[in-house]
Amino acid sequence: MGIEEKLPAGVLLTSVEQIVGYARRNSLWPATFGLACCAIEMMAVGAGKFDIARFGMETFRASPRQADLMIVAGRVSQKMAPVLRQIYDQMPGPKWVIAMGVCASSGGMFNNYAIVQGVDHVVPVDIYLPGCPPRPEMLLDAILKLHDQIQNTKLGAHRVAEIAQQEVVALATTPLIEMRGALK
Amino acid sequence: MTILANSNQPKSNDNDLITAVIDGIAVRVPKGTLAIRAAEMLGIEIPRFCDHPALSPVAACRMCLVEIEGMPKPQPSCAITLTEGMQVKTQNSSQVASSAQEGVMEFLLLNHPLDCPTCDKGGECPLQNQAMSNGRADSRFEGTKRNFQKAININAQVLLDRERCVSCARCTRFADEIAGDPSLELLERGAKQQVGVADDQPFESYYSGNTVQICPVGALTSAAYRFRARPFDLVSSESVCEHCASGCSLRTDSRRGKVLRRLAGDDSEVNEEWNCDKGRFAFRHLMQDRITTPLVREHGELRPASWPEAIRYAAEGLRNQRAAVLAGGRLTLEDAYAYSRFARVALGTNNVDFRNRTASSEEQDFLTNHVAGTGLGVTYQDLEDAQVVVVIGFEPEEESPIIMLRLRKAVRNKTLKVIAIDSANSLGFKKLNADLRLTKPGNESAAISELIKDLQDQNSIILVGERLASSHGAFSATVAVAEKVGARIGWVPRRAGERAAVDAGLLPNLLPAGRKVFEPRDREVVASAWGVSVEHIPTKPGLTQLEIISSAVQGEIDAIVTAGVDINDVANHAAFAAALNKTFVVSLENRASSVIEFADVVLPVGAITERAGTFVDWEGRLRTFDAVMQESLALTDARVLHLIAIELGHTFKDDAKVTSLRSSYSSLGAVSKPGTMNLVAASTTKTGLVLAGWHHLLDNGSLQAGEPHLAATARAVVAKVSSETAQANGLISGNRVIVRSKLGAITLPLEISEVAPETIWLPLNSEGSSVAMQLQIDIGAEVSVSDGGAI
Amino acid sequence: MVEIPQVIRAFGTTFLNMFKKPITEQYPEEKHLYPPKPRFHGRHQLNRYADGLEKCIGCELCAWACPADAIYVEGEENTDEERFSPGERFGKVYQINYLRCIMCGLCIEACPTRALTMTNEFELADDERGKLIYEKSDLLAPLLPGMAPAPHSMVEGFTDRDYYSGKVTGATPKQIEEAGN
């Protein structure tokens, strides 16, 4: 029907968005943000047995300028929150955040004055990963789900429209404080 | 150690004290003290189920067995009175007592099912707790437990699970001794023993919820709370009941921002540890039909608006207008105080009235001189200590149920005589064994004047209800009699906020704390407490509610601020609606009400669980409470009024927070002695058939909305007449009767009963009998009746 | 004894490792080769009796035991028309917030009817907080052969006690018909 049939073998057609997504997702460089027990599991993911180098992630960067993925691993205390935000701000865009473990995701069992009740109060989170701590496979799973998201991210005017659309949805959702049930 | 008598014990002097020894500790207590009470005072806890300090001892459960020196077997400490030199050993010091208790617990658990995970009592259950503390680790019983049908209704809102019952007889004793509704009984014998009611006679009592609370196991549970939550995830907060002027202390249990149940609080000076079913079960109104955002009217329609917009809109509508405030009878003291201040300073008017009901200028005079700002007057304890209590225009059980319990307690002790002057007999009067003087509405003052011979040289108290406002000369007669015989007067309104409204000066001639509008000195004191100049307080007495309505209809009032009023509560509701239609209406409400369709601005305020405040009960006692929902963002009426006042350019000394209003009010002090009331003579006796009635405790009141189980226990809605009246008017018992006024009619089943001559009695706001809405008349008005045929 | 130079020893280690099998788990591709241990604490499951009635009685003991306050339960009364579990009470609302749950398993120990157990499933990561609150429908065990979905009546002639002692073996035709309706 279309142009695909007329192409010689070995030639694939794709969109620029897909190519850019493919490139981005296979060259994620994580910044180290190990804060507590989850960081031990995160280190395991970097080591030989789980080896995130398989996904083009290679090493954890101690310098935010050289990283585009922040894995917040562990409970974020109120005092750590501004530091976390500063590291995030120093990372070049496009950048992503994984909240690893229940403490980073929602405060977990530390529902008290000292702990930020979810790192999404400070930075935008792309993937929430439950577990206390999550086993390395769970982190790999989260990274793969993030890859999926990155692959399908839009570009340019499409991206602007997507953000506008997300904003509309976000405004219509019930604020956290009004939600009933286990959420709160 | 010497233990002084507390309120539960007979009064004593030093000669009446005896010495006994409990667990090796010598204790001096008044004669007649039970061993278990003395042990409690020492901090020694003896396990018990049937024992309850307010109920007579029966020693039914045998759990409290103790060893007493000189007695061959262990004795129940809840039924043994201490004697001089008695040596009592509890489970703490005696192996005999301890193993006896373990044995009793094993017996109690023989037939008790293991359904704690599904039982509503699980987690707060004395049986669970005491099985852990005073029971054996395992049972030797291998047979089959007794089986009954699980939960059966003993009335619409109390469920009975007989498998769980330990036959402690707390519920039956409560019904018999405290509530006086003895239809709950222990039936059968031995292992089959069970609590029950007659097949055709459910446990009809306004106090039935208390049996659920005092049941030491999960045998009695409430239908409304059944399986709703477990005690361990509820947050309990102390609160005060908003339903009537009794001022009961309550425990409100909530979970995640939702009230799930209410229990009677423990306050020995007010409700002891009881409350009525309305206070216990009617709380869904706190969550139903709530208004969540401010609304303003635009092109004839109400639309949601932001707070700043709504406040500005309200302020513009009120600016430089001839305004009035109708503030209902459900406000807290702080809110009523804020309305009083807002009307005087921000609106520059004395047109304020809280009485959204039958009212008279004589009543206003009475309230001004004998109620406003007088502080704590006649108390519950005074009722108990009195020799004679007269109730006039006030049915204690229906209109303030806790007063009825207190009176009944004294009547049962044979220390009190109750005299009632009212239009019909009732279950409440019967339970009080009252000397009832049936009086045709309007003739009360004559009956009151005759009281002098009953009250001479007696320690007497006269309780007058708000219904008396419909009888010309009755308040005057009461005051005259009271002065002559030295009796004290207590005014018992029906709504929780009416006393606070009087104290806060929500009357056209009153300022807060009994200060008077026309007294320059009073105006100065109030102005300095508010932090405004004295010219800001208008000197001319304002209009009452009736006058406000008629002036508004004639176009002499431009704007009305309303709070918690229902136009259907008053007989002239057509004029009320017309008045609201003609004026700019600012309505402060927490739920949708009948006023909203006329409102130009609706400002949502917090429900009573969402804010702190103070109710003033009929005694004049301040019943301060804190917010149940601490995290609520809802505003109080006072804060909203403050915002409007600021918009109108007025500022006060304080910030209108609850605590600052409270201290501002208390800085005004109390009135030292009652004023002098203008006594008026009774009008001529009415001829012809007149209407009488009162509100049933459980009726169509808006605070009972959404409670099907509670509504099902309401009393039958019937019209009552005496047999003579029935004969004279051709009415037949069991048939329907049609009651007509000039504006409407009510048809109800007829019951021949003890009713005053030439009087027909109707419930005022029950299903099918809403006197204000249907007949549009007040009690005491003439009506015509006719037979309505068979049912 | 002749000492082997350090350098050679080091390279020897490297050399020998070339013949070892790599220890890297090829996680997403070969995850079936590395299953978690049977007692691994994964996602929860609400179990059913053999005839499909739910075991959960809505007693909230799991919620009580939970140190992270991650479980929310609301009970409700079973009626003859709509029966979800044997006995008087069932869990109408059952939510677990996996962003609070620390997978400690205290809820499993607290459950008096073995209604709540844990599976080995761990791939729970998601992109929204709301999606990680699992409702009762997400947690209920799948229907095995012989089970009919609740609500339906109990097996005729059986009491809740018989259910607890495991005497029920499967749904009766009457129950299947009721469930079908």
Side-chain angles (χ1 to χ4, degrees), chain B residues 117 226-228 230 233 255, chain C residues 59-60 73-75 77 88:
Chain B
R226 185 164 162 84
F227 300 159
R228 281 283 161 282
R230 307 307 306 273
D233 59 16
R255 159 162 97 163
Chain C
C59 71
E60 300 183 29
V73 188
E74 269 180 29
E77 190 172 5
E88 290 181 286

Side-chain angles (χ1 to χ4, degrees), chain B residues 114-115 117-120 123 145 150-151 159 161 164 226-230 232-233 255-256 258, chain C residues 57-61 63-64 69 71-78 88-90 92 112 161 164:
Chain B
L114 283 172
D115 55 3
T118 58
C119 176
D120 278 337
K145 298 191 179 209
K150 270 311 233 191
L159 297 162
D161 185 328
R164 295 178 188 152
R226 185 164 162 84
F227 300 159
R228 281 283 161 282
R230 307 307 306 273
F232 37 76
D233 59 16
R255 159 162 97 163
R256 297 184 196 246
K258 204 171 149 190
Chain C
I57 51 171
C59 71
E60 300 183 29
L61 287 178
W64 190 27
D69 202 10
I71 308 185
Y72 178 77
V73 188
E74 269 180 29
E76 182 78 348
E77 190 172 5
N78 278 316
E88 290 181 286
R89 178 174 176 152
F90 76 100
K92 187 174 76 168
R161 186 174 288 263
Y164 300 141

Side-chain angles (χ1 to χ4, degrees), chain A residues 48-50 54 102 105-106 108-109 117-118 120 126 128 130 132 135 137-138 141 144-145 149 176 181-183, chain C residues 24-28 36 40 68 70 72 95 97-102 122-127 129 132-133:
Chain A
K49 181 149 185 193
F50 300 97
R54 292 184 292 137
V102 291
S105 299
S106 73
M109 67 181 295
Q117 294 299 301
D120 53 3
D126 296 280
Y128 297 89
C132 184
R135 57 193 280 141
E137 284 98 332
M138 289 168 86
D141 173 55
L144 291 170
K145 281 176 176 155
Q149 252 186 48
L176 216 58
L183 193 57
Chain C
T24 307
E25 283 183 10
Q26 298 298 323
Y27 161 69
F40 173 74
Y72 178 77
Q95 296 179 336
N97 182 355
Y98 280 103
L99 289 187
R100 290 263 181 212
C101 173
I102 58 169
F122 59 80
E123 289 163 339
L124 301 173
D126 219 320
D127 59 354
R129 270 186 168 207
L132 279 151
I133 294 171

Side-chain angles (χ1 to χ4, degrees), chain B residues 17 45-46 89 100 106 140 181 290 328 383 385 416 485 530 567 579 684 688 739:
Chain B
L17 294 181
E45 205 174 314
I46 301 174
K89 288 180 179 169
E106 198 178 352
R140 290 166 287 185
D181 302 303
R290 290 293 299 275
L383 293 183
D385 297 339
L416 174 69
V485 299
W530 290 348
I567 59 172
T684 47
V739 186

Side-chain angles (χ1 to χ4, degrees), chain B residues 423-710:
Chain B
S423 54
N425 204 350
S426 72
L427 189 57
F429 289 143
K430 284 177 198 157
K431 287 200 271 190
L432 291 173
N433 206 7
D435 174 1
L436 175 65
R437 297 168 188 187
L438 288 172
T439 313
K440 183 176 171 184
N443 293 357
E444 279 89 349
S445 59
I448 293 165
S449 306
E450 283 169 25
L451 282 170
I452 291 178
K453 60 181 183 296
D454 300 285
L455 304 184
Q456 212 75 56
D457 306 323
Q458 300 271 345
N459 172 9
S460 56
I461 291 171
I462 303 175
L463 294 181
V464 291
E466 64 176 43
R467 279 190 278 130
L468 216 52
S470 65
S471 175
H472 192 67
F475 277 111
S476 303
T478 309
V479 170
V481 168
E483 272 168 11
K484 203 163 283 173
V485 299
R488 300 168 70 195
I489 303 179
W491 176 66
V492 190
R494 221 168 50 78
R495 296 188 173 101
E498 298 219 344
R499 177 67 195 255
V502 174
D503 283 344
L506 282 182
L507 280 171
N509 60 335
L510 265 185
L511 291 170
R515 308 277 174 174
K516 294 174 186 67
V517 163
F518 46 83
E519 295 272 357
R521 172 81 198 116
D522 284 358
R523 281 206 306 278
E524 267 166 41
V525 171
V526 172
S528 87
W530 290 348
V532 297
S533 90
V534 73
E535 299 88 67
H536 274 111
I537 300 177
T539 50
K540 194 175 126 241
L543 307 174
T544 63
Q545 171 159 21
L546 282 177
E547 292 160 354
I548 289 169
I549 290 174
S550 56
S551 311
V553 171
Q554 286 159 20
E556 288 159 16
I557 295 256
D558 311 309
I560 299 181
V561 178
T562 70
V565 293
D566 184 344
I567 59 172
N568 297 326
D569 280 350
V570 288
N572 59 339
H573 58 86
F576 199 165
L580 293 178
N581 222 351
K582 269 191 131 169
T583 49
F584 181 82
V585 178
V586 179
S587 170
L588 279 76
E589 281 290 350
N590 59 54
R591 310 168 56 202
S593 79
S594 56
V595 173
I596 286 197
E597 60 179 292
F598 305 103
D600 294 279
V601 194
V602 181
L603 300 163
V605 293
I608 212 71
T609 43
E610 289 160 7
R611 40 138 116 211
T614 304
F615 280 127
V616 186
D617 73 359
W618 68 273
E619 304 165 284
R621 192 188 296 274
L622 299 183
R623 307 293 285 157
T624 301
F625 57 92
D626 212 347
V628 172
M629 311 297 171
Q630 292 281 358
E631 73 275 21
S632 170
L633 303 173
L635 300 179
T636 60
D637 297 49
R639 279 299 293 171
V640 176
L641 292 177
H642 195 65
L643 294 173
I644 301 177
I646 290 172
E647 191 69 32
L648 287 170
H650 295 278
T651 49
F652 301 102
K653 215 179 193 174
D654 55 71
D655 53 3
K657 290 206 175 114
V658 171
T659 42
S660 43
L661 287 171
R662 207 175 279 163
S663 52
S664 173
Y665 172 76
S666 58
S667 73
L668 291 171
V671 174
S672 50
K673 62 176 175 32
T676 331
M677 185 181 158
N678 282 330
L679 301 186
V680 296
S683 54
T684 47
T685 313
K686 282 183 188 163
T687 52
L689 190 68
V690 297
L691 176 79
W694 55 67
H695 288 77
H696 275 318
L697 182 72
L698 305 177
D699 59 8
N700 281 351
S702 58
L703 299 194
Q704 298 164 55
E707 300 286 353
H709 300 293
L710 180 68

